[in-house]
Every structure is written in structure tokens, then in C-alpha cells.
Amino acid sequence: MNLMRWEPLRETGDFFRSMSRPMLPRWPGMFGEDFTTKFEWSPAVDVKETDSEYLVTAELPGLSREDVKVTLEDSVLTIEGERRHEKELKDERIHRIERFYGGFCRSFTLPDDTRAEGIRAETKDGLLKVHVPKMEIEKAKAVEIKVN
């Protein structure tokens, strides 16, 4: 007797894999199409706060500083760029592509206590770090008020 065991996790995984297939990017030569559409992706970003600054760290492996643009406009910090697909060689056959290519854009509204002057960005080991300094806020001083 052949009893089938129900495996809901496997069935859920099969379902999501079948739903995502139409959304995969198409590469040159696949189904005879040209690579004309831009596949959007979104890099992982961490935002941390210290007493003196906000630190925005984005994972951008394989991108040079020329591939990334950082802007600030109306208290919105924007990180955008593009990862280009490597050219395929004639004697290569692609079996799997799991890296994302194309343009990306991430925007973050900065708090009111940030200073536009002094913002700096640096890249190292595939990480972009944007340092956003805070304004120095004078601490409130207690004032004694005499009661008449």
C-alpha cells in the first residue's frame, strides 16, 4: 500500500517557487529576447544612531564608488546606483544566476536633528557607510523662578 505523507512545508516551497518563475529576469539569448528591461533590486541597509551621528550602512558588493550616487534633498537621503551584468563569453553556458543586476534606489527621511553640512560617505569591502552628523542641541538649564 502506497501511503503519501502530507508535507505542508515542501508544498508551500513548491508553490512559492512556481509563483516566482515568471518574475525572474531574462538574460541575453534566453527565449530569443534581448536584455532590455532593467531588473530592480534593493540592497540591505542598516541604520544606527550614536550620540553624535546616524550611520547608514548599505551592502553593495561588487560595486565601485563610481556606480553609486548619494544625495540629500529636503531631509531625504537617497542612495542609488546600478550593478551591471557581466558580459557573457561565447564559450560560456550559464547554469544559474542568483545575484541581482540592474538599478536600485533607497531613500530615508532623516530626523530633524541632522546637519546637512558634514555628511560624508565611504566605501570599503562592499559596504557603503554614510555618516550623518547630528546637530548639537543645547541642554536645557534649570532656572529657578521666585514666587511672590
Side-chain angles (χ1 to χ4, degrees):
M1 178 155 94
N2 185 6
L3 294 175
M4 293 201 53
R5 196 170 100 181
W6 183 50
E7 296 182 41
L9 293 177
R10 186 194 57 161
E11 290 180 12
T12 303
D14 292 344
F15 170 75
F16 283 114
R17 274 190 296 282
S18 69
M19 294 302 293
S20 66
R21 278 189 196 112
M23 296 177 208
L24 292 175
R26 297 180 185 221
W27 305 110
M30 181 184 264
F31 307 117
E33 294 117 350
D34 290 330
F35 186 66
T36 55
T37 58
K38 214 177 192 187
F39 186 73
E40 299 292 323
W41 62 285
S42 183
V45 174
D46 294 336
V47 180
K48 297 177 183 177
E49 177 182 3
T50 66
D51 290 339
S52 60
E53 71 177 4
Y54 295 96
L55 177 62
V56 180
T57 305
E59 289 183 354
L60 303 173
L63 271 70
S64 66
R65 77 180 66 162
E66 292 80 21
D67 296 328
V68 180
K69 179 179 171 186
V70 181
T71 58
L72 177 68
E73 184 177 340
D74 295 329
S75 296
V76 176
L77 178 73
T78 301
I79 303 170
E80 58 187 315
E82 183 176 359
R83 181 182 294 150
R84 291 173 186 82
H85 182 65
E86 299 166 0
K87 298 207 178 209
E88 187 178 339
L89 299 175
K90 289 186 179 194
D91 59 345
E92 267 184 349
R93 284 189 301 260
I94 296 174
H95 292 280
R96 178 182 293 248
I97 294 178
E98 294 184 354
R99 294 179 291 165
F100 292 106
Y101 296 94
F104 68 88
C105 183
R106 297 290 309 264
S107 294
F108 305 91
T109 301
L110 297 177
D112 292 335
D113 66 341
T114 59
R115 276 189 346 193
E117 310 81 37
I119 293 179
R120 61 186 174 84
E122 60 193 14
T123 60
K124 184 178 180 188
D125 298 330
L127 292 178
L128 169 72
K129 292 185 178 188
V130 182
H131 300 266
V132 182
K134 290 182 174 181
M135 284 190 273
E136 292 183 24
I137 300 173
E138 290 185 35
K139 294 182 181 178
K141 295 180 183 178
V143 177
E144 186 177 332
I145 300 172
K146 294 184 180 185
V147 180
N148 293 330

